[in-house]
Structures are given as C-alpha cells and as structure tokens.
Amino acid sequence: MSRPVADWVIEHLQKRDDLTCELIDLADWSFPQFDLRKPPAMGNYEDRLQIAWARTISRGDAFLFVSPEYNHGYSGVLKTALDYLMGEWQDKPAACVSFGNVGGARMVENLQQVWVELGMIPASPSTHLLGAHGKRNGNKFVAEDSDGRALDRTVARLVDHVHRTKKQERAANDQKWPRILVLGLGERAIHSVVLPLQLNGWSVSGMTVPDVIARSPDAQDLDVISFGRGALGVDADQLKNKFASSNPEVRIVETFLPIATRQVEAACDALEGNAQALDAAVVSHMGDHFALNAEIAMETRLGVSAYTIEGTLASKRIVTIETGPGPVQIKLPVPKQDISGFMIEADGAEFVHVPIL
Ligand SMILES: Cc1cc2nc3c(=O)[nH]c(=O)nc-3n(C[C@H](O)[C@H](O)[C@H](O)COP(=O)(O)O)c2cc1C
C-alpha cells in the first residue's frame, strides 16, 4: 500500500509552491543487516551505501514517513533505514501518513519515540488514513477530500517547524565563522569532507555541481566557497562570477585538485591563521634508502581516523600504507633521488603532498 499512498502524497504536495518534495522509496534501498563496523553516532561513515543514504537524507529539511501498521508497530525495513544514520536526522521535523486497520495510530506513537532518540522533531498531527484498502484502485490511491485536508494540516505543521528550525540555525550559524560551502562533483567525496568538518564545529555545507546549477545557494550566507577546477571544468569561471557578483565579500578558493578537502583546509588556514595540519615531515637517510617520519595530526580537526600514505615514483605507486593518526615511519624501497614526494590521503580524499626534503 505504501507506494500508492506515497504517490498520492507527492502529487498532493506538488500543487504547493512553498516547498519541494522528493520521494525516497525504501524498496530502492537494500540495507544489509549486521554490516556496519561503527555506530552511526560516530559520524565518520565508511560504508558506501551508508554515505549515499546520508547524502540522500541530508537533502531533506523535513520528513513525512508513509507507513502501514504491523502488529501495532512499524516495519523492520523502516527501523533499519532510520538506524543506518544519526546526525542527518537531527533537528529535522517528522510526521507520518499512516494506515492500517485503525489508521496506523499506534505505529506512529512507536515511531515518535525513535524520532526523539534520533534528535528529530515530531510534528503532530500525523495523517491517519482510514479504510485505506477501500480507496485503492490498482496502483492508485484515490483519496477523499478529508484525507487531503488532513494531509494539509500535517504538512502545515512540518513547514512551521522547518521555518522555526531554520531561523534558529541561522542565528546559531551567525556565531560560527567562517561559513563554508564545498562544491564538487562526487557526492561521496563531498560528504567525506563536509561531515567530519561539521562534527568539528565548522559551519560547512556541501553541494554537487548539478545541485548548484539547478538551485543557486544563497551566497549572502557564505564566507568561503571552495571548489576544484578539475571537478567543475568549464563551469568554474561561470560559477565563480555568479557567486562573486551576489556577494563580493565571499572568499572563493579553488585548486586543481578534484576533491575539496585541501581547499577547505587552505581556506580555514587562510582565515584563521592556523598552522599546517600535518605537523612535521622529516626524511632521514638510511643507507641507500630513505625513511619518512611524519606526525599525522589531522584527526584533531577533521575527525577522520584512517589514512592512506602513498609514495609515487614517476606516477607509479611504489608504496601504500594504511595507518591511523599519530606518528608513522615509512621505509622507502627505492633510492632517494628517485622519489619526489608523498601523497597522504584521508578517507579517500586527497590531502597533503609532502615533498622529500
Ligand atoms: C503482519 C501484519 C500485521 C498487521 N498488523 C496490524 C496492526 O497491528 N494494526 C493494524 O491496524 N493493521 C495491521 N495490519 C494491516 C496492515 O496495516 C494493512 O494491511 C496495510 O495496508 C499493510 O500494508 P502493506 O500492504 O504495504 O504491507 C497488519 C498487516 C500485516 C501484514
């Protein structure tokens, strides 16, 4: 039943011009059980599906769940989808369009408890559809006028809550500085940059290029826009001019790197006068070969826990070391004169190039 009901909800909401809505069908998301290595509350997601889900949920300002009641509760599928994330749900208003033999009211009460634990804002009243089966005609849910009015009441509450939370967010963001927008092509890459920075208290948001083209971000609310020319290609100058004209004060940082982490770092450093994230890199002679000792201190600011250190020789990878934060020592399998430097990556995002001294 959920899909016909959800289609009706979307169709009904699309008539409004004060909101945009997107249907997320859990039938398109197959979340494996027992699979995540870390609790989602830790935030630094490693699982690809989890990151994609996080990006999807991040897009929403509010959530309207369409769900039946099963044995006075909601489905395990829905619970898993909720449990797969944490921060992305927080401070987002939620309500339900429910159905079942008695309109799904008990299920909504169960669901509200979970929303509270996820930091969501339960908005009442939800819409309880009575006699839903009788209103189904094939794949279509044929709603009565009273269903539409109930849905309007639910959505009005959601919209009210969104306005209120946005206002609070704006007030809170005024305290946080600088406010940074990371632009890039890949959702995964953006998310791996944005989320750790957010968890460390930066005011950072991320957008993909198609999103930026479709929906211009409000440059008035930004101090730094960070993007990779490589990712944006010919659109770079166009976007740069667009932002520059809407807010001449905004600082635009661009590099040729495909991923934004380093630009964000550079922007933060430039604005705050912070020292380099990589504390020190010392290369010492060891007979014919060399060792690199580096102190990786980036986790203090970026919240990432796993690093890949990669040595390249004439663009060929000659050494790859997976490591955590702290001191590392790498013995090079080639003579010094053959090595020009190291690339250190965190969570798949290109980070810092360390030259051999
Ligand atoms: C396993 C199961 C348990 C159910 N338990 C309840 C219930 O506790 N309360 C209720 O009002 N309806 C209950 N129903 C009826 C469903 O909510 C209703 O048939 C709904 O349309 C099912 O949605 P679905 O076809 O998408 O599975 C139950 C249905 C099933 C299959």
Side-chain angles (χ1 to χ4, degrees), residues 1-2 68-73 99-104 106 133 136:
M1 277 292 289
S2 293
E69 176 168 297
Y70 290 147
N71 298 318
H72 294 200
F99 50 95
N101 297 334
V102 291
R106 295 161 299 205
H133 280 272
R136 182 179 176 171

Side-chain angles (χ1 to χ4, degrees), residues 162-176:
V162 169
H163 285 313
R164 210 166 302 139
T165 45
K166 289 273 163 205
K167 212 168 143 191
Q168 283 166 357
E169 249 172 46
R170 269 197 298 275
N173 276 343
D174 284 345
Q175 319 289 324
K176 288 186 198 160

Side-chain angles (χ1 to χ4, degrees), residues 22 39 68 74 87 89 97 116 140 173 196 200 227 240 244 266 268 356:
E22 180 183 347
Y74 48 89
W89 299 116
V97 176
V116 168
K140 209 165 163 50
N173 276 343
N200 276 268
F227 63 89
K240 198 172 158 182
C268 296
I356 298 267

